[in-house]
Amino acid sequence: MNASATGRPLSGVVPIAPTPFDDHDEVDDAGQKRVVDFLIDADADAICILANYSEQFSLTDAERERLTTLILDHVAGRVPVIVTTSHYSSKVAAERSRRAQQAGASMVMLMPPYHGATIRPDEADIFQFFRGVADAIDIPIMIQDAPVSGVTLSAAFLARLAREIDQVQYVKVEVPSAAAKLRELVAQAGDALPGPFDGEESITLLPDLDAGATGTMPSALQPDLLRAIVQRYQTGDRPGAMALYERSLPLILYENRQCGLRACKALMQEAGVIACERVRPPMPALHPATRAGLVELAHRLDPLVMRWAR
């Protein structure tokens, strides 16, 4: 059960595809296809869809199903696609994952089950949740360890999930002190976890690579530049990777701290990849001054997103 066409575990840069909307708040199908084509041209090692940075929380179930088919049909096997299938219900998560596999997904990604600020299962029920999803599919599972869920997943528990559930082969760690947790997780899980990843726009990419991460799942803002960092690191050129990381870090920080998921859409609209940078209410649009600062930084760094549509 491998997620890459080569038969090796998936590694490298796996950006999250944003979901473009038009001025009438409808999903822009043509824009979504352009996003996918841009990410493939940026040499993404795979693409993740329907994640938090895809605004999955603002999509209807019908839109989710249609987007899964639309994107997988358009990718047409050019790169692996990871479909996010998170849900509180074990039944719904398993059904979403089964449908994703049937549509051609190479992997599914799920957060642990949660609802609101207070409803959290204990570890035993979380284990059964992932066991139930695994029983429904044959493709790998990536567990998303993110603060948004409010669920604490210890390194020991994540390692146990990887050891005891065959499909749990990847973990995306994007919590405070991610490098320390990745280091502990890699030590405890060993070969049972071929895919330790980081996230959070790759804000701690170099420390996380040092800790054993083999991949990163950022936004779709600068996948080409992040891929160069990872490639330098994987070939043993840590100083070169550090130099490129330091160059990209101002834009990563601005995205992470000032803009969130709106950054990628703003640059894609600015550069003509998509026609509209709208995010669904109640999320507000970027303040014009914040947006201007983002564009200024992007022009200095010149990632592919600023040139691709020209």
Side-chain angles (χ1 to χ4, degrees), residues 6-19:
T6 64
R8 296 188 298 270
L10 181 66
S11 62
V13 178
V14 181
I16 294 167
T19 305

Side-chain angles (χ1 to χ4, degrees), residues 211-225:
T214 58
T216 184
M217 188 179 286
S219 76
L221 192 145
Q222 50 171 312
D224 52 314
L225 303 184

Side-chain angles (χ1 to χ4, degrees), residues 128-150:
Q128 291 306 319
F129 171 87
F130 284 112
R131 172 70 77 190
V133 173
D135 287 345
I137 59 176
D138 299 314
I139 56 177
I141 294 170
M142 175 181 281
I143 296 176
Q144 183 178 4
D145 180 20
V148 68
S149 73

Side-chain angles (χ1 to χ4, degrees), residues 44 48 76 103 147 176-177 292:
C48 180
S177 302

Side-chain angles (χ1 to χ4, degrees), residues 145-163:
D145 180 20
V148 68
S149 73
V151 177
T152 299
L153 298 169
S154 69
F157 180 57
L158 288 168
R160 180 192 167 209
L161 287 165
R163 289 194 306 267

Side-chain angles (χ1 to χ4, degrees), residues 15 18 22 24 68 90 95-96 112 125 129 157 159 161 177 182 194 221 231 234 238 240 243 247 265 270 300 309:
D22 62 24
H24 303 289
T68 299
S90 300
E95 289 179 351
R96 282 182 174 182
D125 290 326
F129 171 87
F157 180 57
L161 287 165
S177 302
L182 278 162
L221 192 145
Q231 285 183 325
Q234 290 175 338
R238 189 179 185 280
R247 182 171 179 264
K265 283 187 168 184
E270 178 74 17
R300 288 181 181 177

Side-chain angles (χ1 to χ4, degrees), residues 18 20-23 28 31 34-35 38 220-221 261-279 285-286 291-292 294-295 298-299 304-310:
F21 303 112
D22 62 24
D23 289 324
D28 177 4
R34 284 173 62 80
V35 166
F38 157 69
L221 192 145
L261 62 84
R262 298 167 295 183
C264 185
K265 283 187 168 184
L267 290 190
M268 285 187 169
Q269 192 278 330
E270 178 74 17
V273 179
I274 59 176
C276 180
E277 65 190 78
R278 180 180 177 86
V279 289
L286 281 176
R291 188 184 188 280
L294 173 72
V295 172
H299 277 303
L304 180 63
V305 70
M306 304 301 292
R307 297 177 275 111
W308 182 79
R310 295 172 185 168

